[in-house]
Amino acid sequence: GVMERLGLGPEVLLQENPRLIYARLTGFGQTGKYARSAGHDINYLALSGVLSKLGRKDENPYAPVNLLADFAGGGVICAMGIITALYERTKSGKGQVIDASMVEGVAYLSSFLWKSQNLGLWSRPRGENLLDSGAPFYETYKTSDGKFMAVGAIEPKFYEQLIKGLGLDSVELPSQMSFSDWPEMKEKFASIFAQKTQAEWCSIFDGTDACVTPVLPFDDVASHQHNKQRGSFIKNDEEEISPRPAPVLSRTPAVPSLKRDPFIGEHTEEILLEYGFTKQEIAKLYSDKVIEFGDPKASL
């Protein structure tokens, strides 16, 4: 209701411009019991049902920072809605309102969880399934130097390479999909991974299809050979590292700025002047606390 109170609701603006795409991105959506309630990523994740699936056996569910509902189910799904509406406008010539709920966005993003319930992938309690840390071949393991390796050897041919790299013989082990043996197998794998450093395990598994990779901290991602070869991470003029825009388009790839991130409000005056506001009008907006300046050198 904030935009309506400002006189900038979709009904007003679409009357002015029927081709307008008006996106409303909120946690709970524009209608329903919680529509006007405050919330955060963990709340939207909880209401979507997805949070109940995240976590290890015998532990509370946990939210993976705020990536799933805020950014994926929120920002990305909303952006997809805008793109869809823009495409539809090329046919109808009309705009429309996008009701982007983070609860529904993250639920839709997780359609795989719903559609695969009867395939046996999620039939066991949380933390005991194939992809949620239940399987010994889809897990992270600590190395002798306190670092970690990620293992994702699901397919039998990949699993066989994992077993070979660990120095084991599959003939002497339980069947890969023997659920009852998974806890014991996890302990066995953990004890073996703990005997070598991360670098030593990389030298064993790099170049194989065992689906074993190092768990890289932020400080190391840009220098890893694969990421370096692709230029997956970039540095700005203050040596700060961030991901390169993705995906990479063949003809019109994104050209990222290598300047530092601006302060909030740093270019407020510059942009308003560009759009025709006078210095006096900008000063009035600032004194009325409508706008703010992030640059300590601002003259107003």
Side-chain angles (χ1 to χ4, degrees):
V2 173
M3 297 303 283
E4 281 78 4
R5 290 197 296 274
L6 294 172
L8 298 172
E11 293 80 7
V12 174
L13 297 190
L14 281 165
Q15 209 166 19
E16 290 286 325
N17 178 10
R19 290 173 54 84
L20 185 69
I21 308 298
Y22 193 111
R24 312 201 78 163
L25 175 57
T26 58
F28 298 112
Q30 295 299 309
T31 58
K33 179 179 180 179
Y34 290 168
R36 299 296 177 95
S37 300
H40 277 294
D41 184 286
I42 194 170
N43 306 116
Y44 315 139
L45 204 57
L47 206 63
S48 73
V50 177
L51 184 57
S52 70
K53 298 290 187 182
L54 306 179
R56 292 186 176 275
K57 180 181 178 181
D58 299 326
E59 291 185 11
N60 295 354
Y62 65 83
V65 291
N66 66 326
L67 294 175
L68 278 183
D70 282 352
F71 296 110
V76 174
I77 294 292
C78 183
M80 187 181 296
I82 293 170
I83 292 168
T84 305
L86 286 169
Y87 178 71
E88 192 280 335
R89 191 174 70 181
T90 65
K91 298 173 179 289
S92 67
K94 297 178 181 178
Q96 55 187 310
V97 180
I98 298 164
D99 180 0
S101 153
M102 293 185 196
V103 173
E104 295 164 0
V106 74
Y108 185 58
L109 185 74
S110 307
S111 294
F112 167 70
L113 296 179
W114 298 90
K115 300 292 185 181
S116 63
Q117 286 184 100
N118 297 325
L119 299 180
L121 292 176
W122 308 102
S123 57
R124 300 170 68 83
R126 180 177 63 250
E128 297 182 25
N129 299 280
L130 185 68
L131 303 178
D132 65 358
S133 79
F137 48 85
Y138 203 88
E139 178 61 286
T140 57
Y141 292 100
K142 196 170 188 177
T143 58
S144 63
D145 54 346
K147 298 181 181 181
F148 295 89
M149 298 298 290
V151 176
I154 298 174
E155 293 78 1
K157 61 181 180 180
F158 300 155
Y159 180 72
E160 189 59 40
Q161 293 197 42
L162 166 66
I163 296 302
K164 182 180 177 182
L166 292 175
L168 298 171
D169 186 345
S170 58
V171 177
E172 301 173 358
L173 299 174
S175 167
Q176 178 186 358
M177 298 306 292
S178 176
F179 295 109
S180 61
D181 291 303
W182 278 3
E184 183 183 344
M185 290 300 295
K186 285 180 74 168
E187 289 182 15
K188 182 183 285 289
F189 287 5
S191 66
I192 295 174
F193 271 107
Q195 294 170 17
K196 288 182 172 65
T197 65
Q198 186 186 72
E200 288 173 325
W201 285 119
C202 287
S203 68
I204 290 172
F205 286 113
D206 279 3
T208 75
D209 282 335
C211 302
V212 179
T213 50
V215 177
L216 300 176
F218 273 24
D219 290 344
D220 296 342
V221 291
S223 59
H224 186 274
Q225 189 177 15
H226 176 80
N227 294 334
K228 200 171 182 179
Q229 288 170 348
R230 284 185 54 82
S232 301
F233 294 84
I234 56 176
K235 283 185 179 180
N236 66 12
D237 54 12
E238 295 192 348
E239 296 295 302
E240 295 170 330
I241 297 174
S242 61
R244 178 184 64 178
V248 180
L249 278 61
S250 64
R251 187 169 51 80
T252 58
V255 181
S257 170
L258 297 182
K259 295 181 180 179
R260 64 160 174 78
D261 292 341
F263 302 120
I264 294 174
E266 181 175 355
H267 302 110
T268 301
E269 182 182 5
E270 178 185 331
I271 292 168
L272 290 177
L273 286 170
E274 190 177 307
Y275 275 86
F277 287 80
T278 66
K279 286 256 186 183
Q280 291 73 24
E281 288 172 328
I282 296 172
K284 180 69 164 61
L285 289 170
Y286 179 70
S287 64
D288 289 344
K289 297 185 177 180
V290 174
I291 60 174
E292 63 178 278
F293 299 119
D295 185 355
K297 297 179 182 176
S299 56
L300 295 176

